Each structure stands twice: as structure tokens, then as C-alpha cells.
Amino acid sequence: MPRIWCLLLLGGWLAVSQSAGGPGAILRMDIGTIDRAVSTALNESNVLQKLVQEATKKKSNMKPIKGISRLKVTDLRPPEISLTLSPGVGLFMAVLVRMTIAGRSFIGGNMEIKVAANLTASARLAQDSQGCPWFSTKSCRIALLSAKTNLPSNMLPQVVSKFLDSSLQKVLPSLLCPAVDAVLNLMNAKFTTMTSTIPLGTAGTLRYALLNPPVTSEAFIQLDLRTILHKKEGEEVDLPADQPSPTSLPPKREAATQLILSAGFLGAELSVMQASFSLNISNNMILGLPPLVTTTLGALIPELSMVLPPSQPLVIEMREANPPLVTITPNKTIVHLFSTAEFWVSSPDSDLGSLFVLDVHSDLGAQFAVVEERLQLSLALDSLSQVALVSSSIGTFDELPLNRVLADIIHVAYVPSINRALRGGVPLPPLLGTQYRWAEVSQLQNGLVLDVPVTEI
């Protein structure tokens, strides 16, 4: 790809990403992805065959065609399609069509003509009112390449000449050009699927929509996507306005469609899910936990042993106080959780109730994988960056001795609970049959990159 295109696209990303309404995701569609989608649309729906059958039906307002009557297509070969991207416009297609046209010759007898024609069409790619990519036909032309008839050789010059002049040039555009609109409509239907609302379990919904009109270069079509997240109550979740945008974009791999997800989008998606991160942790709940009893607290913080009854069971309520933050570098992804840990005496004989509340900032390392067309996150505790006493009903104390025990509790009980809540994964935008399960996942500064080889789409 020419260097100027890389600079323009990178500049465009940075310009829009640094605004509050920047894209949560960017899709770079490879021409191979579009080629396969067009071929699938032609083959699965049998577009050409249906259209030529409709076009050759006898209609009351149809003018007679010179040289042949009772027109019908008896043989239509699979079309050979060649697609190229038209910078600033959209798509250019060349389709080689081979078919046999049969009917009654004006000189009597059955007539068959084997026709080869080249259909060339230009399609504009724009954005509709719903934020969906939309193809529309810009032009369609038919060039006759060859015509061979079954008539005797001594009759060929005159008949073929008249037929080419008065018949084929009239009938071929009406037979073939409507197929372009039909194929583009099938493509548009697939784009509509890409922008449909996707449930995030019971936590909320996600919808992808175009932020800006599509940009077509010589190498790919770029779609800047809004990631519209709603909680189950209907409240929309905005991407963090102060989230740094990716400082550089990798070159798109050849013969691969590329999806880039911003760290801000991943953090916003986790904030929709954060209500399901809440967990009450009690004694003997999970193997490997230290004893959650008042005696354990007294051993760690001697001044508490004087005010706490011995051997009373404890419950630790873990709650998310603020939306998670995701930071991504080429080598590491960290999910920052801002939680409260409230310690309770759970014995019905105790009147102490809530003992104290800690403000806990946890840094969780994240690993990514694509499973069943969704991005899966697997988290593991990296460190506790902050533990601070927020309130206490039993007096002030130094909370530092609790750090080790609290880290063990978060590692053994809380993080696995969050991983279970995240099993549904992050839905990826459905794109013309793209199979994300084959994606290679890599990281850049403040962004995640999924490269999907066209051969696996």
C-alpha cells in the first residue's frame, strides 16, 4: 500500500480517536473477504439464473427482438468474478458470463447462440441513516466477447451480424445488469446483521455502527465503528473520554481482514458486566482460602483482637465501586479493578455487623483468545496497587498487614468468579461471513488486533 495511504488512515484514526466520540473498533476489510461474500451471494441465491429466467418471460409490453423469438436461456455457466477496490468510491467488479440463448430464428428452425460477455460494474460504498455500510450501483456495462450459433455456416455472416446489431446488444443489459443490484442487496443484508443489537447475557447489549462513512483505499475498506453499549436498565455506557488512543496502527497483513479493538471499548464493555462481579466470600467457601474468622483478623492486627469476639465467622463483600480500566501495551494487558471489600461478622449472635470497608485497587493480567466468534478474556491477579481503609466501626488501624491475606482471597475466590462472569465473551462484529475463530491476536499500544486470514473466512 502506498505510504501516503498509511499516513492518511493513521491520521484519521488519531483525529477521531482523541475525541469523545472516537471509534471503539476499526475494521479493515480485505478484498478477499468481499470477493468470497460476493461469490457466496451469487452461488447460494442463484441470482443470475433467477434474473435471466424472469427477464426472458413473455410480457405483454415486451417489444419483439429482431432475429429471434421465444427467447430463453438454456445454459448459464458459473460466472468468473474479479473484484478490485476503487479508492474513494467502493468496489469495481468484472464478471465473465457464459450462457446459451435459444429461440426460434426468423428464418425458421431452432436457433442456439453461445454467448460470452463481460459485465463491468462500479458500486459505491456509503453509510445509511442507521450507521450501516451500504452498497449501491454506480454504473453497469456489458461488452459482448463472442457469439457462436448453430446455424449453417453459409448463413452465419448475415444472421450473426444482424443478431449482434439488433438483439444481443439490447437483451444482455436487461438480462445481466439487474444481477448487480441483487448481489449488492444481499451484501447489504449481511451488513445489516453486522449492526444488529447483540445481548451481553443479562447485563446489557452491544451494537456496532459506523462512526464515519467508509473509506476505500487501494488495499482495503476501512470501517470506523461506534461501539454502543447499554446496561440492562437502558443506560448507555460511554467510552472513557480520557482513554489514550492507539499511538500507531500495524500495517494490514496481506490477504487478511483486520479488526482493531480499543482499550477504551474493552473497559466500557467490562463496566457493563461489573454488576455481575459482586461476590460474598465466606469461610470454607473455596479450598485454599485462609480461615475467614475474627481470630485471623486479630492475629494479623493485634489491636483488633481486643475488640473482636474470637472465632466468629466473617463474610467479605467484594463490590465494584468504579468502572474498570483497561490498559494495553504490546507486551501486556492489565485490567484495573476499583473495588470495595467490606468485612462483616456473620454470626447471628453478634451485634457488630459491618466491621470496616477497604478501598482495593487490583491489577489483573489479561490473556485473550477467540472462541465461538467472541473474544474471551482470562484474568489473573498481577498485584494489589492500593489497599486503604475507608471506614470502620471498630476504630482506626494499620491495614497493611491485611494485604497478603486480601491478595490470597482475591486470587483464589474473587478473580475466578469474575472469569466465570466473563465466559460469554465480547461479541465481535459479524462481517460478511468472517470466522474470527481463526484470528491471530496481538497487542499494540492501547489496542488489540485480530488478523483473520482470508483463506479461513
Side-chain angles (χ1 to χ4, degrees):
M1 181 176 70
R3 181 175 296 180
I4 185 64
W5 277 107
C6 292
L7 294 174
L8 288 173
L9 291 172
L10 175 57
W13 163 278
L14 292 174
V16 296
S17 293
Q18 289 168 353
S19 69
I26 283 185
L27 261 170
R28 292 160 149 187
M29 287 193 293
D30 187 84
I31 186 63
T33 300
I34 304 170
D35 194 358
R36 178 166 293 193
V38 169
S39 298
T40 300
L42 276 171
N43 295 331
E44 289 182 352
S45 59
N46 211 8
V47 168
L48 282 176
Q49 186 67 47
K50 291 177 181 177
L51 287 173
V52 297
Q53 288 174 356
E54 180 64 26
T56 55
K57 287 180 180 178
K58 187 175 182 179
K59 300 179 178 66
S60 59
N61 60 349
M62 181 181 289
K63 295 181 180 180
I65 299 175
K66 295 180 180 180
I68 191 170
S69 60
R70 302 178 188 175
L71 179 69
K72 62 180 179 179
V73 175
T74 59
D75 182 33
L76 180 63
R77 303 293 178 86
E80 298 178 17
I81 305 170
S82 176
L83 299 180
T84 55
L85 295 176
S86 180
V89 178
L91 190 64
F92 179 81
M93 64 179 74
V95 184
L96 176 61
V97 181
R98 293 186 178 91
M99 60 183 176
T100 300
I101 298 177
R104 295 284 295 177
S105 169
F106 70 92
I107 61 172
N110 294 326
M111 182 179 186
E112 285 190 351
I113 300 179
K114 296 184 182 298
V115 176
N118 194 30
L119 179 154
T120 55
S122 178
R124 185 181 301 279
L125 182 59
Q127 175 181 351
D128 72 4
S129 60
Q130 301 300 313
C132 184
W134 194 261
F135 277 117
S136 59
T137 305
K138 188 168 181 277
S139 65
C140 178
R141 296 180 178 84
I142 305 294
L144 183 66
L145 301 179
S146 65
K148 297 180 181 180
T149 180
N150 65 336
L151 293 178
S153 57
N154 60 350
M155 302 176 65
L156 283 177
Q158 181 180 4
V159 173
V160 172
S161 176
K162 287 183 178 180
F163 189 85
L164 294 179
D165 290 343
S166 63
S167 299
L168 285 178
Q169 300 292 349
K170 292 181 179 179
V171 75
L172 288 178
S174 64
L175 285 176
L176 301 178
C177 280
V180 176
D181 289 328
V183 169
L184 294 182
N185 286 337
L186 291 169
M187 299 280 284
N188 290 336
K190 293 180 181 291
F191 280 138
T192 301
T193 302
M194 187 189 79
T195 58
S196 60
T197 300
I198 308 168
L200 299 173
T202 59
T205 62
L206 166 64
R207 187 170 81 86
Y208 294 94
L210 281 175
L211 178 65
N212 307 303
V215 176
T216 305
S217 70
E218 294 178 351
F220 53 83
I221 293 175
Q222 178 163 316
L223 307 177
D224 294 343
L225 301 178
R226 290 182 62 208
T227 49
I228 306 167
L229 289 155
H230 285 91
K231 295 182 179 179
K232 63 180 179 181
E233 298 84 4
E235 176 188 358
E236 183 170 347
V237 178
D238 295 324
L239 269 66
D242 58 350
Q243 176 70 28
S245 61
T247 55
S248 63
L249 293 179
K252 192 189 81 64
R253 295 186 185 181
E254 189 173 349
T257 279
Q258 188 176 73
L259 173 63
I260 301 167
L261 302 175
S262 72
F265 161 58
L266 295 176
E269 200 274 342
L270 289 178
S271 72
V272 173
M273 305 292 295
Q274 75 179 62
S276 60
F277 296 169
S278 299
L279 182 67
N280 290 351
I281 305 169
S282 58
N283 201 24
N284 299 323
M285 178 178 170
I286 298 173
L287 292 176
L289 284 178
L292 297 183
V293 291
T294 52
T295 306
T296 302
L297 286 181
L300 293 169
I301 306 173
E303 58 260 45
L304 293 185
S305 63
M306 296 181 290
V307 296
L308 292 177
S311 304
Q312 295 296 304
L314 294 173
V315 172
I316 303 173
E317 291 187 1
M318 298 296 300
R319 302 287 185 267
E320 291 307 302
N322 291 298
L325 176 67
V326 176
T327 58
I328 303 177
T329 68
N331 299 317
K332 194 172 188 178
T333 296
I334 294 293
V335 175
H336 307 270
L337 293 185
F338 307 97
S339 316
T340 59
E342 186 169 7
F343 285 68
W344 290 75
V345 173
S346 64
S347 172
D349 299 329
S350 173
D351 57 359
L352 288 177
S354 176
L355 300 177
F356 54 86
V357 179
L358 299 176
D359 183 20
V360 182
H361 294 185
S362 310
D363 295 339
L364 311 181
Q367 297 293 324
F368 300 98
V370 179
V371 180
E372 296 180 356
E373 308 310 311
R374 293 183 173 226
L375 180 69
Q376 300 284 346
L377 286 80
S378 178
L379 305 178
L381 181 64
D382 188 75
S383 64
L384 294 185
S385 57
Q386 176 179 308
V387 177
L389 184 65
V390 176
S391 63
S392 173
S393 65
I394 54 175
T396 59
F397 56 88
D398 181 9
E399 69 278 357
L400 185 61
L402 287 175
N403 283 18
R404 178 66 179 271
V405 170
L406 192 58
D408 289 341
I409 291 170
I410 291 173
H411 170 66
V412 174
Y414 191 44
V415 173
S417 174
I418 293 175
N419 282 332
R420 287 191 294 272
L422 296 178
R423 279 179 182 169
V426 180
L428 302 173
L431 177 68
L432 304 179
T434 298
Q435 301 294 312
Y436 290 104
R437 67 176 65 102
W438 306 112
E440 298 180 25
V441 183
S442 57
Q443 299 173 176
L444 65 153
Q445 195 69 31
N446 292 311
L448 198 67
V449 182
L450 284 75
D451 288 297
V452 189
V454 170
T455 54
E456 304 292 353
I457 292 174

